[in-house]
Amino acid sequence: MAAQIFGLDIGRSFIKVVQVKISGSSRSLVAVGSAATPGAGLRSEVKPELKQLAETIKTLVKNSKIHSNKCTVSIVEAQAVTRLIELPNLTDKELSAAINFEADQYIPLPIKDVNLQYKVLSRPQPGSGGKMAVLLVAAPKRVIEKYLEVVKMSGFSLSAVETESSSLARALSNKNDPPSLIVSMGASSTELVLIKEGNVFFTRSIASGGAALTKAIMTEFNLASKQAEEYKMAYGILEDKLSGKISRILRPVLEVVTTEILKAIDYARSHMGDQRLSGVVICGGSAYLPGLAEFVTEKTSVEVSLGDPWANFAKEGLILKMPGQGSFYSIATGLALRT
Ligand SMILES: Nc1ncnc2c1ncn2[C@@H]1O[C@H](COP(=O)(O)OP(=O)(O)OP(=O)(O)O)[C@@H](O)[C@H]1O
Ligand SMILES: [Mg+2]
């Protein structure tokens, strides 16, 4: 049977929806679709614009043949606070009683204004006197309320809200995999998510993505955005295209991201003991930029691959019609897989 929920990823430039079917260990794609985000999307504070966003979601869900009225959504990392903290080994009951007080020291927002979630990632050996590792995620209530309002206006109900990093971890990693760094590059931001044993270990959000690349081409060559977008997608950062003219403009913009990737790799090396980073997984719409994987490999000397949330899905039906497109739907797929 198809899952009772669908994943809804409301990006700055595209809205994506995914519904999956899970039976035992087998997974298949039931429905998938995307639509351009109208106006300022969720950034808008104007009611008619939010209404228009809700209408776009409603039409997209209908056109994508999703059979569910309930969705899960993700909020961008920049709007949440994710912290890995260490605490003395508490029982679940003790932790639940102490968490607000403990979180107060790590979350730079009043606890009463946030929705706080936590997950125990590891516990020490009994009697060792070691610490337990707990992942804290705090999202401002007013941010969650806005998602709730838009989803409600679209005629759906909201089953859960999580951060993009949690969706990405579910979509692109397994508990037994070695640690990896996910680089999710959208239009307006890039999220770095360090994953260990299938869990989020560290996150970082960079306020730059595909839109900054398009903007750089527009400014340099005095082009309209549509044309600049076409150049970007056709030539990317390949140096042998157009005598490297586009590449030369885009590479400096990407340096902001590669610098942060290098810092995250350093962090992984110093905080993950003897577990080695297996590689960098790029995903999101901007991961398709021609030459990006090679560029990141060259800058970091770490193996880079394009993330595919459908890699272990049954190769039948819809999936066969969308070769290589999974990366764009990574977050929506992770949301759809939430059980
Ligand atoms: N083939 C391609 N080459 C280069 N860039 C691409 C390609 N396809 C899509 N993009 C870029 O990907 C971006 C859209 O990706 P995505 O849908 O993941 O972003 P978003 O989720 O809407 O944005 P954000 O996550 O920042 O809110 C756009 O900037 C678009 O130009
Ligand atoms: Mg996105």
Side-chain angles (χ1 to χ4, degrees):
M1 216 178 68
Q4 296 300 307
I5 51 134
F6 65 95
L8 170 64
D9 171 14
I10 310 173
R12 181 63 189 82
S13 97
F14 287 97
I15 305 164
K16 297 93 167 165
V17 289
V18 169
Q19 189 174 19
V20 300
K21 186 166 99 179
I22 307 175
S23 36
S25 60
S26 148
R27 289 154 178 203
S28 53
L29 195 60
V30 173
V32 59
S34 69
T37 307
L42 268 171
R43 287 189 182 180
S44 172
E45 296 292 345
V46 188
K47 192 90 181 198
E49 279 185 16
L50 291 173
K51 183 101 187 92
Q52 197 195 349
L53 175 63
E55 283 304 319
T56 309
I57 294 171
K58 195 172 179 174
T59 309
L60 171 63
V61 170
K62 187 163 170 261
N63 292 346
S64 309
K65 301 195 169 56
I66 281 183
H67 300 290
S68 161
N69 287 322
K70 249 191 203 169
C71 63
T72 46
V73 298
S74 55
I75 61 172
V76 292
E77 230 43 59
Q79 290 181 312
V81 182
T82 300
R83 291 274 183 284
L84 184 68
I85 63 168
E86 286 194 322
L87 294 173
N89 198 17
L90 304 173
T91 62
D92 286 347
K93 207 169 155 196
E94 286 168 341
L95 180 62
S96 145
I99 197 74
N100 278 2
F101 175 70
E102 292 293 343
D104 197 36
Q105 305 168 48
Y106 302 96
I107 308 294
L109 296 164
I111 293 296
K112 68 171 176 39
D113 296 339
V114 302
N115 180 318
L116 187 70
Q117 293 180 9
Y118 64 93
K119 184 174 182 182
V120 177
L121 296 190
S122 68
R123 285 186 180 278
Q125 294 285 348
S128 68
K131 303 249 180 177
M132 68 195 290
V134 179
L135 187 77
L136 284 179
V137 181
K141 285 180 181 160
R142 57 168 182 79
V143 171
I144 294 178
E145 273 155 22
K146 200 165 179 190
Y147 278 82
L148 195 61
E149 191 190 342
V150 169
V151 167
K152 220 160 129 191
M153 278 197 282
S154 324
F156 304 110
S157 66
L158 188 57
S159 120
V161 181
E162 63 181 22
T163 52
E164 289 191 350
S165 58
S166 314
S167 319
L168 289 165
R170 195 178 303 109
L172 299 172
S173 72
N174 287 305
K175 190 140 188 53
N176 300 324
D177 291 348
S180 63
L181 178 69
I182 297 177
V183 177
S184 170
M185 219 176 165
S188 59
S189 70
T190 301
E191 326 293 338
L192 306 189
V193 188
L194 192 57
I195 308 279
K196 188 182 164 193
E197 290 159 7
N199 284 309
V200 174
F201 192 78
F202 160 96
T203 69
R204 172 101 175 80
S205 184
I206 306 155
S208 181
L213 299 174
T214 306
K215 190 81 198 285
I217 300 176
M218 286 168 70
T219 310
E220 179 70 18
F221 302 107
N222 198 15
L223 292 174
S225 83
K226 188 166 178 288
Q227 214 176 352
E229 188 81 5
E230 282 168 12
Y231 274 110
K232 176 179 83 170
M233 292 190 186
Y235 306 119
I237 47 172
L238 300 173
E239 291 189 307
D240 58 344
K241 301 285 178 183
L242 276 188
S243 318
K245 278 187 193 150
I246 304 289
S247 162
R248 213 171 302 135
I249 302 306
L250 299 185
R251 285 180 180 235
V253 183
L254 287 168
E255 297 275 351
V256 182
V257 176
T258 49
T259 303
E260 291 301 328
I261 294 177
L262 279 171
K263 282 191 206 161
I265 292 172
D266 269 353
Y267 180 89
R269 288 193 175 126
S270 56
H271 286 78
M272 291 206 295
D274 51 2
Q275 293 203 42
R276 275 178 52 109
L277 198 68
S278 65
V280 170
V281 178
I282 53 173
C283 65
S286 298
Y288 296 100
L289 185 78
L292 182 65
E294 296 76 4
F295 179 70
V296 178
T297 305
E298 181 190 307
K299 292 281 170 191
T300 61
S301 309
V302 171
E303 195 182 320
V304 180
S305 59
L306 182 68
D308 179 8
W310 305 334
N312 298 320
F313 277 39
K315 298 290 175 290
E316 59 185 28
L318 258 183
I319 265 187
L320 302 176
K321 295 186 191 148
M322 315 183 71
Q325 292 187 43
S327 181
F328 179 63
Y329 292 99
S330 297
I331 292 170
T333 305
L335 285 165
L337 287 168
R338 189 183 160 120
T339 48

